[in-house]
Amino acid sequence: MAKEYKTPGVYIEEIPKLPPSIASVETAIPAFIGYTEKAQYKEPDDLRNRPWRISSLLEYEQFFGKANPDGDSLEIIFDNTTGRLDVQGKVNEATRTKFLMYYSMQLFFDNGGGPCWIVSVGNYTDTGGVIVDTQLKTGLDEVAKINEVTLLLFPDSMGITDPPTYYNLVKQAIDQCVELQDRFTVFDVYRAVGNETNYMADVNALRLGISGPTEVLKYAAVYFPRLYTTGNFMVNEATVRITSKSAGALPPTLAELKTANNAFYFMAINALNSTQMLMPASSAVVGIYAFVDDTRGVWKAPANINIDDVIRPELLITNKQQEELNVDVVAGKSINVIRTFEGRGPAIIWGARTLAGNDNEWRYISVRRYFNMVEESTKNATEQFVFEPNDRNTWIRVKSMIENYLTQQWKIGALMGTTTREAYFVKVGLNETMTEQDIFEGRMIVQIGLAVVRPAEFIILEFMHKMLAES
């Protein structure tokens, strides 16, 4: 409708010709939910159960402190039984601290992680060293309020006492992803005490513990096994034990050794720093997600990449063993394995499947996460058209906006096809996507189809003899 002018003069009108644009949302913004040393911005505990955005390990330390010190779970052994002194560190995983958030943040940032959200659900002392699943669930509920979050994980959850409780928590995270449709859950196979070598018992517990149709399972991915990393333990020297094997009389603790024998103390510290730390893989994997998204794009599968700061996986998995992990012929609950390949790296992510591993549409992590990005980006951009006239002019503007965006996505390699016609389609209009009844009831329906690139999971090289007569 033309503006009515009543005062003589010259007036300027700007006529919009270009369609509005779509800006891609961030794709690798994880939320780490767990326990911290403190949760303080200004006052003690003012950040407890309050999602807080950080972008570096230094910021994490500023607001949430450092790791929970280990003590009597660590032992330094001075062994001189062969006549040559050997100093080794030993850790008892059964009594080691269950609070792994700080070490997980180190792995995340060292593997390419960037901005993320932290939800501190408590400190190291309130629960007596026990991981309480209901507290983690409270933190999960708070994360639902943060629209920017795209990944969910629980660094401390491997300390939960039993598999059913653990997988119930994971399932609640997946349910949040299903409800909000803008995030993805990353978790680890729960390792029960006593199953260290019988890993298939833990795998079966996973496949029994996580249930649901493809519409649910497509929003999560699981990784296995855990990783021995180069991280340094934070310790309480007064409780770190010293053991002598034919190395003479030594004080019983590291703190006393520091006073009694300075040279042996520094030998013990070196041994302690060389002691391998066993960690869940999920935090490092999420760092890889961020690295791949930044350097290649969310449509690139976060696989065939070595994880930094890792010495070796907890278990060495062979091709044959990976077959039943990567492909679950019964329910399709695929497990992504981290493997060692001689000369290539000690911890290479060798899997790219969601839990819906038998589904042709949502089998791959990169496809699910790419759709998350496009859906959220398009949703944000089309909000400006709410309550606009539901007519052809609006339809053309919406369609042009989406087509321009998807054309750019095709140009950078996210969509397949030699032409845009093969790469995507956008449909909107009366008798095309809507009926008159839809228009009467205020619905504008836009149909969008994408041919997203998929990873080449199986590269098959076919060799044969060439006959001399063949041209």
Side-chain angles (χ1 to χ4, degrees), residues 116-137:
C116 60
W117 290 80
I118 307 296
V119 184
S120 174
V121 300
N123 58 40
Y124 302 145
T125 58
D126 286 349
T127 64
V130 176
I131 307 299
V132 182
D133 63 295
T134 54
Q135 291 183 333
L136 295 176
K137 176 59 170 60

Side-chain angles (χ1 to χ4, degrees), residues 115-165:
C116 60
W117 290 80
I118 307 296
V119 184
S120 174
V121 300
N123 58 40
Y124 302 145
T125 58
D126 286 349
T127 64
V130 176
I131 307 299
V132 182
D133 63 295
T134 54
Q135 291 183 333
L136 295 176
K137 176 59 170 60
T138 300
L140 176 66
D141 292 340
E142 292 300 316
V143 166
K145 304 172 185 177
I146 307 300
N147 186 57
E148 186 186 30
V149 169
T150 61
L151 297 164
L152 299 175
L153 64 161
F154 305 90
D156 299 327
S157 59
M158 294 289 275
I160 290 176
T161 54
D162 60 90
T165 305

